[in-house]
């Protein structure tokens, strides 16, 4: 892959980044550690990112360095401000320009609703993983994601992120672009509106709520979804005449 030459003249490429990533996170014992996207996902991103893109991630880490390295107009959001300092030091020592990166040190649930609604090419959900944060991150970002843009969900082995993966896998507004199970999945957005749907608009939720399309109630729901009120009226009339 072609390495990126920064404004400082140093050369950094994906192989060097993977071989020597930053360690902005800390273990329970206080030791620096690296937690972030798997190498396969980072390599996938490296092949897709271009400097004209607008990108956003909840969370921070080696992915933040990659976005900076590729020169995208990037926003990184995490309440852990110390992580940003490690990332900036790492980039500074390697001549990676972070001038296009907006670092927001606060919880994504507070920051996202206040951001300018600039259209996005790629969204990475990899911040807090406890309920309901991944869903909040989804709600406030996918409306800004362009048709054809990519949504990356990391840590799908955890229940909230895994549930989001299961729901979107059956939504007509999304198509699986790359599956890196058990850790990550990447969807391409095909249409707007999935964040506004009710449970009856979501095949995975509908099916796992105990309904199936062969029951009278489920067929009624389907007619309502389609706006087929005349069919409903005919069925009611038929039932009344039989009674």
């Amino acid at each position: 892959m072609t390495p990126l030459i920064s404004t400082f003249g140093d050369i950094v490429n994906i192989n060097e980044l993977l071989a020597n990533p930053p360690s902005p996170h800390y273990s329970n014992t206080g030791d620096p550690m690296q937690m972030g996207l798997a190498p396969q996902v980072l390599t996938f991103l490296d092949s897709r990112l271009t400097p004209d893109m607008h990108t956003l991630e909840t969370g921070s880490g080696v992915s933040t360095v990659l976005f900076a390295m590729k020169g995208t107009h990037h926003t990184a959001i995490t309440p852990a401000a110390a992580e940003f300092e490690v990332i900036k030091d790492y980039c500074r020592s390697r001549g990676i320009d972070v001038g296009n990166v907006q670092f927001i040190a606060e919880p994504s649930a507070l920051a996202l609703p206040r951001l300018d609604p600039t259209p996005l090419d790629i969204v990475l959900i990899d911040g807090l993983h406890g309920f309901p944060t991944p869903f909040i991150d989804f709600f406030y970002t996918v409306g800004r994601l362009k048709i054809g843009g990519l949504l990356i969900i990391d840590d799908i082995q955890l229940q909230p992120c895994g549930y989001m993966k299961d729901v979107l896998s059956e939504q007509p507004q999304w198509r699986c672009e790359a599956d890196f199970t058990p850790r990550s999945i990447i969807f391409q957005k095909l249409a707007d509106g999935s964040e506004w749907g009710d449970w009856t608009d979501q095949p995975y939720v509908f099916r796992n709520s105990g309904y199936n399309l062969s029951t009278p109630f489920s067929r009624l729901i389907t007619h309502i979804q389609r706006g087929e009120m005349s069919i409903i009226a005919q069925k009611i009339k038929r039932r009344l005449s039989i009674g």
Side-chain angles (χ1 to χ4, degrees):
M1 297 180 182
T2 304
L4 178 105
I5 302 178
S6 77
T7 56
F8 295 93
D10 293 339
I11 297 177
V12 179
N13 62 37
I14 186 65
N15 294 325
E16 294 171 4
L17 179 60
L18 294 176
N20 186 24
S23 300
H25 309 100
Y26 293 89
S27 67
N28 292 335
T29 59
D31 297 316
M33 61 184 297
Q34 196 277 318
M35 294 190 303
L37 295 179
Q40 306 97 302
V41 185
L42 291 166
T43 301
F44 175 95
L45 264 178
D46 180 69
S47 70
R48 296 296 185 95
L49 293 173
T50 56
D52 60 310
M53 288 182 170
H54 287 81
T55 56
L56 181 148
E57 67 178 321
T58 56
S60 67
V62 63
S63 54
T64 315
V65 176
L66 179 61
F67 285 116
M69 207 173 82
K70 303 295 286 189
T72 69
H73 303 274
H74 186 61
T75 301
I77 307 171
T78 179
E83 293 179 10
F84 286 153
E85 296 311 310
V86 173
I87 291 167
K88 290 176 184 177
D89 288 344
Y90 178 94
C91 290
R92 192 177 300 115
S93 68
R94 288 159 177 80
I96 300 171
D97 188 1
V98 295
N100 279 346
V101 181
Q102 180 183 16
F103 295 96
I104 301 178
E106 62 178 306
S108 58
L110 299 179
L112 286 170
R114 299 198 303 263
L115 293 182
D116 291 334
T118 306
L120 298 168
D121 297 282
I122 293 179
V123 169
L124 166 60
I125 295 179
D126 192 20
L128 297 179
H129 295 88
F131 174 85
T133 302
F135 304 108
I136 294 173
D137 292 350
F138 173 84
F139 181 80
Y140 282 110
T141 56
V142 297
R144 295 173 54 191
L145 189 63
K146 299 175 183 177
I147 303 298
L150 299 179
L151 171 68
I152 304 167
I153 306 171
D154 195 37
D155 291 311
I156 56 175
Q157 77 277 12
L158 302 177
Q159 192 175 52
C161 299
Y163 186 79
M164 189 155 48
K165 178 208 79 168
D166 291 338
V167 171
L168 296 186
S169 292
E170 298 189 30
Q171 287 300 117
Q173 298 94 341
W174 299 92
R175 180 181 69 83
C176 180
E177 178 76 5
D179 190 342
F180 297 102
T181 300
R183 278 281 308 279
S184 309
I185 192 164
I186 301 175
F187 291 101
Q188 183 183 52
K189 182 177 175 180
L190 304 179
D192 289 317
S194 63
E195 72 274 28
W196 295 104
D198 202 353
W199 67 281
T200 54
D201 302 315
Q202 299 167 342
Y204 180 85
V205 177
F206 189 91
R207 188 178 67 257
N208 284 280
S209 296
Y211 298 103
N212 101 39
L213 293 174
S214 64
T215 67
F217 176 77
S218 300
R219 290 196 294 272
L220 173 62
I221 291 292
T222 300
H223 289 316
I224 292 172
Q225 286 178 311
R226 294 173 178 171
E228 297 169 339
M229 299 307 170
S230 61
I231 295 176
I232 295 173
Q234 289 170 12
K235 288 187 175 183
I236 292 173
K237 184 177 180 180
R238 190 161 55 244
R239 285 293 183 98
L240 291 174
S241 65
I242 292 174

